[in-house]
Amino acid sequence: MHDDRTVVEARLARLLTERLRPAVHRVVAGLDVTAWAVPGEPVPPAVALAEGEFAPFAVGDPWGPPWGTTWFRLTGTVPGDLPAGARVEVVVDLGWNATSPGFQAEGLVYRPDGSVHKGLHPRNDWVPVSGPAVDLFVEAAANPTVLTSFRPTALGDLATAGATPIYRLVRADVTVRDEELAALADDLEVLAGLRAELPEGEPRGHEILRALARAMDALDPGDLSGTAAAARATLAEVLGRPAHASAHRISAVGHAHIDTAWLWPQRETVRKVARTAANVADLLDSDPDLVYAMSSAQQFAWLEEHRPEVFARIAAHVRSGRFVPVGGMWVESDTNMPGSEAMARQFVHGKRWFLEKFGIETREAWLPDSFGYSAALPQIVALSGTRWFLTQKISWNQTNRFPHHTFWWEGIDGTRVFTHFPPADTYNGELTAAELAHAVRNFRDKGDATRSLLPFGHGDGGGGPTREMLARARRVADLEGSPRVAIEAPAAFFAAAEEEYGSRAPVWVGELYLELHRGTYTSQAATKQGNRRAEHLLREAELWCATATVRAGAAYPYDELDRLWKTVLLHQFHDILPGSSIAWVHREARTTYAAVASWLSSLISSALAQLGGGGHEVLFNASPFARDGVPALGAAPPAAVAGLVRTESRDGGGWFLDNGLLRVEVDERGLVVSVLDLLAGREVLAGPANLLQLHRDEPNQWDAWDVDPFYRDVVSAVDGVVELTLSDSTVRVSRAFGASTVLQEITLAAGARRVDFRVEVDWHEREKFLKVAFPLDVHTDRAEYETQYGHVTRPTHDNTSWDAARFEVCAHRWVRVAEPGYGVALVNDSTYGHDVRRVALPAGSTSSVVRLSLLRAPRFPDPETDQGRHTMSYALAPGAAVADAVRAGYEINLPSRVGRGPAVAPLVSVASSPPESVVIEAVKLADDRSGDVVVRLYESLGGRATATLAASFPVAGAVETDLLERETGGSDLTLRLRPFQIVTLRLRRG
């Protein structure tokens, strides 16, 4: 037989695009259109329907300046001569473009009474009609398409986007949907897609090809409706053949990944959630096959607040088990940068919300799109009562292909969580044959495991599943040549996968590092500073408010703290905290963080006032370590500082600073050229330190996200001096470079075994990367980096491609390099991006160059990223053991507060062996408002420890709890902790 595959395929493609799909909706009447362009920000539907100034509007007219809202009213009559049972639908085209749903104009359809009907987007452009009259309101959002390339765009902020309309109303028709033609189109697409994925020599593919040709012969273009049934009959046999006994099993679940903010502001996400949820509710009502999963308690809360009638509909489907809350987090957060408590509170607030609203305990952590996953996460997941973990983002790796799709993921403490990466490599599936075939071919665990999961539905900007996707799912449920597809809840998949494979699944130990998007540790510095500051202010507020309640009977601000925690957690979303959103998002984030800091500072001041009042000066120490004579978590008069700092001029310019513990040499360039540890009798540096280094930063794509390895090829030192001065024990050096200026301060305090640095940058560079370098005379092949409730160790060499790919990594408050018996730590108050590399010394051996990433200047999606003034602090701690690094990290982020009054004994204290190995991370009152005191602590050194907790108030009982403060066992306040173990204790006050 001659090979006519290309001929048949071309014939089918034209039939579907030019004849069949357009004929599914037959126009039977037009609609009258009026419109009201909302001035300014969106208004509630009740306002639009009651007060909107609607004027005549014609199809073809322009509408919608970027980010504007236009309300359309569509009215008309359904012809009375339609066949009985005809499915009447209004079809609307707001001016869709070729990009994906969720990245352009969208609409939400209302009835005249203000109730929500359903959403509109390019792949879901229809509204069902019942009755003889049409009267619909469409709230149309003129969201611009920001991501067309990675070129700078003004569309990312309302102030710069312009006022010219960017859409035209293309269509508004009353139609009849031909169900038989739609079904034929679905048949043809599924079979054609399957045939394209089958091996060339397989008979099945040729049989499908012949069946497709016969179906097209049976279909008369002049009478599509009349001949569709006959065409479908020719396909029945090939569609009816069951899948092979060994066919891979795919659990498909409806899904719409909705970024809480990204290329749109949060206010638009509120509307995106409503549009998607309305569509899903409509589809759940009409199709019993659909099961839909939605994460992020914040998005449910928005829906309840802003569209309660839609929330009521989805709540009913939650109760029936078909609308499935997943994830158990407040938002799908970043997991690299959030601090210890913040990462825990994501699960606390998310899971508790689902429990309170629906009585549901979510069991799967659901983070398909975050930019890598902290090695502390398995323990946090498990302690929240969560059993499984899902992502697919590691499939984006630039260098190495991850070896598993289903496996046990082991965290820093040894906790393991059963984990799955969908092998279709997408969270926005459409159940196409290409996706299904890729999932089967790509699945790394074949032979032992037989199943995988595939979330399907339009996402990122929302949209969700469509009826066409469900039609595909029905056809591939049991079809020869295809994997078997069953629509079911994620928990059903995980339970079956763990039962099948759990005893034999491989183990991955440590972080799930994403070999991409490394620039997100640095982009949008103000957002990151706001987060860091808010996290530590929340710690202080909870501590001092709990202390004031127990000591002075003050009212504990439960509601305020709950609101502020949720605000901070919201901004840890994986496109806000990483700095990868449009300018609008980060402008609002800066404002929000400032407000959060103000509110928290007020709560703290009020609590301290109730604890103090008159008397001598005291320091309030929120650190978990005693300092300056003040106990951890308490207040006392400061101890006198022992020693002085001697300064002397240096030949050639610069100064020596000496406090008896360290001798610091600053040269005429304002660079630190020597730090002599007088206690250890050794030089700390291997070269000039506190050296600013400027790199070109021009990634191949994903500007705000990516730092590509070639950035290291071009570097210039920022060491020119405008002014160099000494004041007390602080050296100040002013510099200028490019269009920017910088002031660096170097301080050696009396009695301190650390050197403090402060930098103020007026930053006006473009596509540049600013780092500060510390060459340390430490020979090692690894470095330690703080993460949540502990630290991770990473190699500093490039032995393997996995090692080389970690050329930029994330740390929290400290990084440490060490030889046996001696270490040096670099601590910071707001920086996350780091790199550590080994450099050969002239006399042999190697040094370790530790660098902090300070600022970037990508031009997409925010062309003004990081422009302006920034202030950051960091410190070098010579001779630091891990415990010293932990202590210094807390101290630089939790400065003591000065007050007046009596000394305040800490509510709780901990004595541990080894000393200072067990750290108190949180002290608060229980969320159930019982008045119980909750203490969370962890082992910080990576070894075994014993600890005894002491309370300074009467304790009637103590229990160990999970993160949600639910009892898991009794406790006598003497604990034996595993390496990096987290323990939460609940103390009932006597």
Side-chain angles (χ1 to χ4, degrees):
M1 180 181 292
H2 296 298
D3 187 351
D4 63 348
R5 284 174 296 175
T6 58
V7 173
V8 176
E9 290 165 353
R11 180 187 179 194
L12 177 60
R14 186 172 188 187
L15 173 71
L16 284 168
T17 57
E18 296 185 15
R19 296 185 176 90
L20 199 51
R21 282 297 185 195
V24 167
H25 282 101
R26 177 170 59 90
V27 178
V28 295
L31 290 169
D32 294 323
V33 183
T34 57
W36 174 50
V38 180
E41 285 293 275
V43 299
V47 173
L49 271 59
E51 302 175 19
E53 299 174 2
F54 288 82
F57 195 92
V59 169
D61 284 355
W63 70 277
W67 306 113
T69 298
T70 296
W71 282 81
F72 294 102
R73 186 174 190 179
L74 312 178
T75 56
T77 303
V78 177
D81 57 353
L82 297 179
R87 181 176 177 86
V88 180
E89 297 179 348
V90 165
V91 175
V92 178
D93 185 341
L94 294 174
W96 320 123
N97 57 48
T99 57
S100 299
F103 293 85
Q104 54 178 295
E106 303 171 63
L108 186 58
V109 182
Y110 292 82
R111 301 178 183 89
D113 64 2
S115 62
V116 172
H117 202 328
K118 69 181 291 289
L120 293 173
H121 64 68
R123 311 290 187 271
N124 200 333
D125 59 359
W126 53 274
V127 185
V129 175
S130 58
V134 175
D135 192 358
L136 301 172
F137 290 84
V138 180
E139 181 192 28
N143 300 334
T145 301
V146 175
L147 183 58
T148 57
S149 70
F150 297 107
R151 295 174 180 169
T153 174
L155 291 172
D157 200 341
L158 191 61
T160 59
T164 303
I166 56 175
Y167 293 105
R168 290 182 182 274
L169 181 64
V170 173
R171 181 179 185 186
D173 295 314
V174 180
T175 72
V176 171
R177 174 178 161 90
D178 190 318
E179 302 283 21
E180 193 71 15
L181 276 182
L184 174 60
D186 293 331
D187 291 344
L188 292 170
E189 286 185 346
V190 166
L191 286 170
L194 175 60
R195 197 216 66 76
E197 297 300 327
L198 292 171
E200 185 174 332
E202 283 289 319
R204 171 70 165 159
H206 293 275
E207 292 164 359
I208 291 173
L209 190 74
R210 299 272 64 82
L212 292 171
R214 289 192 295 271
M216 288 186 283
D217 289 341
L219 187 67
D220 181 359
D223 185 15
L224 292 173
S225 294
T227 55
R232 292 195 71 200
T234 66
L235 301 174
E237 194 273 332
V238 290
L239 276 171
R241 293 188 187 178
H244 297 302
S246 61
H248 185 73
R249 296 178 180 272
I250 290 180
S251 298
V253 61
H255 181 241
H257 179 71
I258 304 177
D259 285 314
T260 298
W262 180 29
L263 303 179
W264 45 85
Q266 288 180 36
R267 68 92 150 145
E268 197 54 37
T269 309
V270 173
R271 301 202 294 178
K272 284 175 176 288
V273 171
R275 291 187 284 258
T276 298
N279 277 342
V280 171
D282 182 77
L283 206 51
L284 286 164
D285 290 340
S286 61
D287 195 319
D289 292 337
L290 178 61
V291 177
Y292 181 80
M294 177 170 159
S295 72
S296 302
Q298 172 68 86
Q299 295 188 5
F300 283 83
W302 276 337
L303 192 62
E304 182 182 36
E305 177 185 357
H306 295 278
R307 296 292 181 269
E309 73 280 20
V310 179
F311 180 79
R313 292 176 67 191
I314 68 107
H317 288 296
V318 170
R319 290 189 291 272
S320 73
R322 295 179 59 215
F323 196 114
V324 183
V326 293
M329 298 175 71
W330 191 246
V331 296
E332 289 186 14
S333 74
D334 179 76
T335 76
N336 292 309
M337 291 173 283
S340 301
E341 273 304 293
M343 198 73 260
R345 303 297 176 97
Q346 284 286 352
F347 287 92
V348 169
H349 284 280
K351 288 182 70 84
R352 182 175 290 131
W353 199 94
F354 291 132
L355 281 165
E356 291 177 351
K357 296 295 180 179
F358 302 129
I360 287 176
E361 176 94 25
T362 53
R363 293 296 188 187
E364 55 284 289
W366 187 274
L367 288 169
D369 193 33
S370 299
F371 308 149
Y373 304 91
S374 161
L377 205 52
Q379 182 179 196
I380 295 169
V381 165
L383 288 176
S384 73
T386 303
R387 181 174 175 180
W388 304 301
F389 180 80
L390 176 138
T391 185
Q392 64 81 50
K393 197 65 176 186
I394 305 302
S395 69
W396 285 44
N397 271 5
Q398 212 170 29
T399 304
N400 297 287
R401 184 181 179 193
F402 198 81
H404 317 298
H405 282 105
T406 303
F407 58 99
W408 291 98
W409 178 23
E410 181 179 313
I412 56 174
D413 72 310
T415 297
R416 293 179 178 179
V417 59
F418 193 69
T419 298
H420 181 67
F421 294 176
D425 293 340
T426 183
Y427 49 81
N428 294 330
E430 299 184 35
L431 298 182
T432 64
E435 289 171 354
L436 301 178
H438 176 71
V440 175
R441 287 192 297 264
N442 190 40
F443 188 52
R444 302 300 298 272
D445 301 287
K446 290 188 284 282
D448 281 322
T450 65
R451 62 185 72 233
S452 63
L453 186 140
L454 176 54
F456 70 94
H458 296 295
D460 287 325
T466 65
R467 57 188 176 188
E468 289 79 15
M469 296 176 193
L470 291 172
R472 291 179 202 128
R474 281 188 283 273
R475 285 159 176 79
V476 296
D478 189 15
L479 179 62
E480 182 186 357
S482 170
R484 286 189 174 89
V485 175
I487 297 178
E488 58 186 358
F493 159 76
F494 273 109
E498 186 176 356
E499 180 180 7
E500 173 188 67
Y501 192 39
S503 63
R504 304 185 306 282
V507 178
W508 179 269
V509 178
E511 67 184 327
L512 296 172
Y513 177 85
L514 178 63
E515 296 173 356
L516 199 70
H517 293 359
R518 303 166 183 93
T520 58
Y521 312 143
T522 306
S523 295
Q524 298 288 357
T527 296
K528 291 170 170 58
Q529 283 188 313
N531 172 74
R532 180 77 70 85
R533 186 71 182 126
E535 288 179 341
H536 288 82
L537 287 170
L538 280 162
R539 172 194 171 93
E540 287 193 84
E542 288 185 334
L543 168 67
W544 299 127
C545 289
T547 304
T549 298
V550 175
R551 293 274 181 263
Y556 190 77
Y558 292 101
D559 292 333
E560 293 93 331
L561 288 170
D562 181 79
R563 174 178 60 85
L564 292 168
W565 261 117
K566 287 173 178 174
T567 300
V568 172
L569 297 178
L570 163 61
H571 287 80
Q572 291 179 341
F573 176 72
H574 67 253
D575 278 307
I576 302 178
L577 180 54
S580 48
S581 290
I582 57 174
W584 190 340
V585 173
H586 291 289
R587 172 173 50 79
E588 289 188 335
R590 292 190 293 272
T591 301
T592 299
Y593 279 127
V596 166
S598 176
W599 287 321
L600 287 169
S601 296
S602 177
L603 289 178
I604 293 166
S605 295
S606 176
L608 297 187
Q610 293 175 81
L611 290 168
H616 50 258
E617 180 180 286
V618 295
L619 294 182
F620 288 86
N621 176 23
S623 166
F625 300 93
R627 61 178 166 185
D628 302 324
V630 182
L633 315 180
V641 177
L644 300 170
V645 179
R646 293 185 296 107
T647 64
E648 61 181 277
S649 297
R650 175 182 177 273
D651 291 342
W655 294 273
F656 291 97
L657 312 175
D658 189 326
N659 68 358
L661 301 174
L662 300 175
R663 181 173 173 82
V664 179
E665 181 180 358
V666 182
D667 74 0
E668 70 281 2
R669 298 168 297 172
L671 299 178
V672 179
V673 293
S674 174
V675 175
L676 185 62
D677 186 338
L678 300 174
L679 293 182
R682 65 178 282 171
E683 174 61 52
V684 175
L685 301 183
N690 198 34
L691 172 64
L692 294 172
Q693 294 180 317
L694 191 66
H695 294 266
R696 281 171 38 189
D697 186 14
E698 300 154 356
N700 292 336
Q701 56 181 352
W702 299 110
D703 295 48
W705 296 256
D706 283 358
V707 171
D708 285 334
F710 53 78
Y711 91 89
R712 298 172 293 186
D713 297 345
V714 179
V715 60
S716 58
V718 181
D719 58 2
V721 177
V722 174
E723 185 179 25
L724 185 65
T725 62
L726 174 68
S727 175
D728 296 327
S729 60
T730 296
V731 175
R732 293 185 175 87
V733 55
S734 299
R735 310 185 193 275
F737 61 97
S740 305
T741 59
V742 61
L743 170 65
Q744 292 178 281
E745 295 182 351
I746 306 157
T747 300
L748 183 64
R753 200 181 178 192
R754 80 180 198 195
V755 187
D756 290 301
F757 302 90
R758 182 173 176 271
V759 60
E760 295 180 12
V761 187
D762 191 5
W763 178 250
H764 296 285
E765 305 308 299
R766 304 287 180 175
E767 297 181 308
K768 295 292 191 294
F769 193 7
L770 183 66
K771 285 179 169 271
V772 62
F774 287 82
L776 304 177
D777 192 6
V778 175
H779 171 65
T780 183
D781 61 358
R782 69 203 69 182
E784 295 154 325
Y785 305 79
E786 189 187 33
T787 188
Q788 297 95 352
Y789 301 107
H791 63 266
V792 295
T793 301
R794 301 181 179 110
T796 58
H797 55 68
D798 294 344
N799 279 5
T800 71
S801 59
W802 297 86
D803 301 330
R806 288 180 170 89
F807 59 83
E808 180 80 2
V809 295
C810 183
H812 287 194
R813 294 169 293 203
W814 57 267
V815 175
R816 176 178 177 269
V817 292
E819 300 169 352
Y822 192 84
V824 182
L826 192 62
V827 301
N828 73 84
D829 75 343
S830 57
T831 303
Y832 295 95
H834 296 76
D835 72 280
V836 180
R837 58 190 175 89
R838 305 166 81 242
V839 175
L841 294 172
S845 190
T846 63
S847 64
S848 300
V849 179
V850 180
R851 299 199 302 170
L852 305 181
S853 302
L854 300 182
L855 292 168
R856 297 185 67 220
R859 301 181 67 197
F860 181 85
D862 176 4
E864 299 297 317
T865 299
D866 283 335
Q867 301 298 298
R869 293 186 174 274
H870 304 271
T871 301
M872 304 174 186
S873 296
Y874 43 93
L876 185 71
V882 171
D884 299 315
V886 174
R887 171 196 286 267
Y890 276 101
E891 287 181 351
I892 198 171
N893 284 275
L894 287 166
S896 296
R897 292 180 180 270
V898 178
R900 305 196 73 83
V904 178
L907 283 185
V908 292
S909 59
V910 64
S912 62
S913 178
E916 298 190 343
S917 58
V918 177
V919 175
I920 294 176
E921 178 62 17
V923 178
K924 59 189 286 293
L925 295 194
D927 291 340
D928 64 4
R929 308 193 181 202
S930 62
D932 294 353
V933 175
V934 172
V935 181
R936 187 146 35 245
L937 42 80
Y938 70 101
E939 196 289 316
S940 66
L941 306 185
R944 306 236 171 209
T946 58
T948 300
L949 189 75
S952 62
F953 57 90
V955 175
V959 295
E960 191 169 336
T961 74
D962 66 5
L963 295 180
L964 276 72
E965 302 169 8
R966 300 175 295 194
E967 182 177 350
T968 58
S971 176
D972 61 2
L973 301 186
T974 296
L975 306 168
R976 290 174 174 81
L977 286 84
R978 302 184 311 274
F980 298 127
Q981 183 180 357
I982 305 165
V983 175
T984 305
L985 297 174
R986 182 170 179 144
L987 311 180
R988 183 160 53 87
R989 290 153 59 192

